[in-house]
Amino acid sequence: MTFAMEPILLLCLSLLAHGAEAACREARFGGAVLPLRAQQLVLAPTQAPPANRLRFRHDVSLTVPVAVGAPPQNVTMVLDTGSELSWLLCNGSRVPSASAPPRAPGAFNGSASSTYAAAHCSSPECQWRGRDLPVPPFCAGPPSNSCRVSLSYADASSADGVLAADTFLLGGAPPVRALFGCITSYSSTTANGNDAATNSSEAATGLLGMNRGSLSFVTQTGTLRFAYCIAPGDGPGLLVLGGDGAALSAPQLNYTPLIEISQPLPYFDRVAYSVQLEGIRVGAALLPIPKSVLAPDHTGAGQTMVDSGTQFTFLLADAYAPLKGEFLNQTTALLAPLGEPDFVFQGAFDACFRASEARVAAASQLLPEVGLVLRGAEVAVGGEKLLYRVPGERRGEGGAEAVWCLTFGNSDMAGMSAYVIGHHHQQNVWVEYDLQNSRVGFAPARCDLATQRLGARA
């Protein structure tokens, strides 16, 4: 879920890490390897966010290059395993702003594509009434009789437009036809005027929804397996497509099963990649968190989701509080607490410190590793991934010290009812989504090396 779309996509990196490069290249036959990049960007100029809203969903996003239509138009799409319907900012898109509303950058021009077709009110697509989208497609009525879509996310961004179909080309894979939202109005609160993202020259054209919903790109294209590897910083990672992967499941991967709940519950997202969190450790200390706190309750609140569309990781308060306390206890000799009780970064991160960049660099290798213990697997977070430097915040004489916050946030403070494992903590981890066997696999990896070996270039 974003905080808030061909062939089958397949694991290669763990094979490369163990010298099986030939097998990995063979697996690419009939598929493709796409560059995946974590970068600061915005979809368009944005207004200042309201209080207590998440502002960072598109500050740092995972983006992939895609070609859409005939002739192909190159677009950049945010890879989001937490969203369903893919969408593109379309020609004529406007974004609300205090001044004259600007046109969206790099918008897709449907009228220039011979394979583009907007869905009409009478089409079967517009009559779709699945259970996955909060607001299903609906008819706008005369005179246009267009089929409309309206999407909203937990970070208060929203998108409105028409339901349409066109061909998508990802890497060297054959083109596939898929439904998507052709967005004509987009509003975002993910960055403010002081964020570097607002001034970035990069701009995303849309979002590729990869969850398990009926209208996701995964479901529409019959994808049974896909994988990605995120390089730290702005280095290139990769998204791997091609082959069935049945004979290439690497034993080094640790898998955790996807959690299914058949009955509808108000706070349980049934199309998310939901896994079971069984414990949290800080260093060698397993936190005394009751199992009931880590499992969905009778309303569905408390599920754990693996989400490429959310930057950081969020824990419910009853798990966040002991994590924060134990981390502070184990780092007293390494980091000086910020000492400002009212300072909360992005409305959800209040375990913060003040230190110079040199101090943090020296301390990063001594910080206790935080492990998210899943059923059959673990996501281990250590070193530089544990701290995030807050943009624009300096302390001390001459601003010698920066402000750093622990990269685990409090879900309750952010208005969420779930645990979310964000992409910042998936860096240098090969993540495989195996829909055929209802599981997610994790393996430590060097994503930059895998990108070089597979020839994925931005």
Side-chain angles (χ1 to χ4, degrees):
M1 178 167 48
T2 306
F3 301 116
M5 208 170 300
E6 251 123 323
I8 296 166
L9 312 181
L10 155 77
L11 167 70
C12 274
L13 181 59
S14 54
L15 292 172
L16 285 172
H18 294 83
E21 182 171 350
C24 187
R25 290 194 176 275
E26 183 179 350
R28 293 175 56 202
F29 180 76
V33 176
L34 287 85
L36 176 68
R37 188 176 295 275
Q39 60 187 116
Q40 288 194 329
L41 52 82
V42 288
L43 286 164
T46 59
Q47 297 172 309
N52 300 322
R53 294 292 187 179
L54 305 183
R55 297 181 294 184
F56 45 73
R57 180 171 70 92
H58 288 128
D59 286 1
V60 177
S61 296
L62 303 179
T63 61
V64 291
V66 181
V68 182
Q73 299 177 42
N74 294 324
V75 298
T76 298
M77 304 185 76
V78 173
L79 181 75
D80 192 351
T81 61
S83 291
E84 181 168 352
L85 183 65
S86 301
W87 54 265
L88 288 168
L89 293 174
C90 285
N91 204 31
S93 298
R94 291 188 180 277
V95 181
S97 68
S99 58
R103 291 193 179 275
F108 172 73
N109 186 356
S111 62
S113 171
S114 62
T115 50
Y116 173 87
H120 296 284
C121 287
S122 59
S123 66
E125 295 82 4
C126 201
Q127 306 306 314
W128 183 86
R129 292 294 181 268
R131 67 188 185 186
D132 307 328
L133 288 177
V135 179
F138 59 94
C139 181
S144 66
N145 288 322
S146 61
C147 184
R148 306 290 300 180
V149 291
S150 181
L151 306 170
S152 60
Y153 303 93
D155 66 350
S157 59
S158 61
D160 297 277
V162 300
L163 186 66
D166 210 329
T167 55
F168 286 71
L169 296 90
L170 284 77
V176 292
R177 191 166 184 81
L179 292 166
F180 67 100
C182 191
I183 299 304
T184 54
S185 177
Y186 177 81
S187 177
S188 172
T189 59
T190 57
N192 63 33
N194 296 321
D195 286 338
T198 305
N199 301 316
S200 171
S201 60
E202 300 288 348
T205 313
L207 179 143
L208 198 63
M210 299 285 285
N211 75 7
R212 298 187 289 165
S214 302
L215 288 181
S216 77
F217 193 80
V218 167
T219 303
Q220 288 192 63
T221 58
T223 296
L224 297 179
R225 187 182 303 226
F226 66 96
Y228 56 68
C229 198
I230 306 164
D234 60 358
L238 74 166
L239 170 69
V240 184
L241 303 87
D244 63 11
L248 294 175
S249 294
Q252 292 78 18
L253 272 172
N254 291 316
Y255 288 100
T256 187
L258 293 173
I259 303 302
E260 307 282 354
I261 295 181
S262 57
Q263 68 270 29
L265 298 176
Y267 297 108
F268 189 86
D269 185 349
R270 288 186 289 179
V271 295
Y273 295 99
S274 183
V275 297
Q276 182 57 59
L277 181 62
E278 298 202 324
I280 301 173
R281 64 173 178 84
V282 180
L286 187 65
L287 301 178
I289 303 173
K291 295 290 186 182
S292 59
V293 170
L294 303 176
D297 64 16
H298 66 285
T299 69
Q303 75 181 117
T304 299
M305 297 176 284
V306 184
D307 184 11
S308 71
T310 296
Q311 185 177 359
F312 297 117
T313 293
F314 293 87
L315 308 174
L316 291 177
D318 287 344
Y320 174 77
L323 167 66
K324 174 184 174 181
E326 184 63 27
F327 188 83
L328 291 174
N329 181 57
Q330 293 192 30
T331 58
T332 53
L334 298 173
L335 297 169
L338 179 61
E340 300 175 17
D342 294 332
F343 184 88
V344 181
F345 174 56
Q346 305 290 21
F349 300 83
D350 63 353
C352 300
F353 310 88
R354 52 185 295 172
S356 66
E357 283 80 355
R359 174 70 174 172
V360 169
S364 62
Q365 299 306 312
L366 302 175
L367 296 175
E369 185 179 71
V370 175
L372 301 175
V373 183
L374 307 174
R375 185 174 298 168
E378 181 182 270
V379 177
V381 182
E384 296 179 351
K385 289 190 288 186
L386 287 166
L387 298 176
Y388 180 80
R389 185 172 63 81
V390 179
E393 296 286 344
R394 308 291 301 189
R395 299 292 188 272
E397 185 177 352
E401 296 177 317
V403 174
W404 308 78
C405 292
L406 181 65
T407 52
F408 290 83
N410 188 330
S411 293
D412 296 64
M413 294 172 65
M416 297 187 290
S417 59
Y419 298 89
V420 181
I421 303 174
H423 67 70
H424 181 79
H425 291 165
Q426 300 175 44
Q427 293 177 1
N428 272 343
V429 177
W430 187 258
V431 184
E432 177 192 285
Y433 296 81
D434 181 357
L435 283 78
Q436 187 170 22
N437 296 300
S438 295
R439 60 186 185 174
V440 180
F442 301 92
R446 281 287 304 274
C447 299
D448 55 343
L449 296 181
T451 301
Q452 292 174 14
R453 292 181 181 179
L454 287 173
R457 295 290 184 267

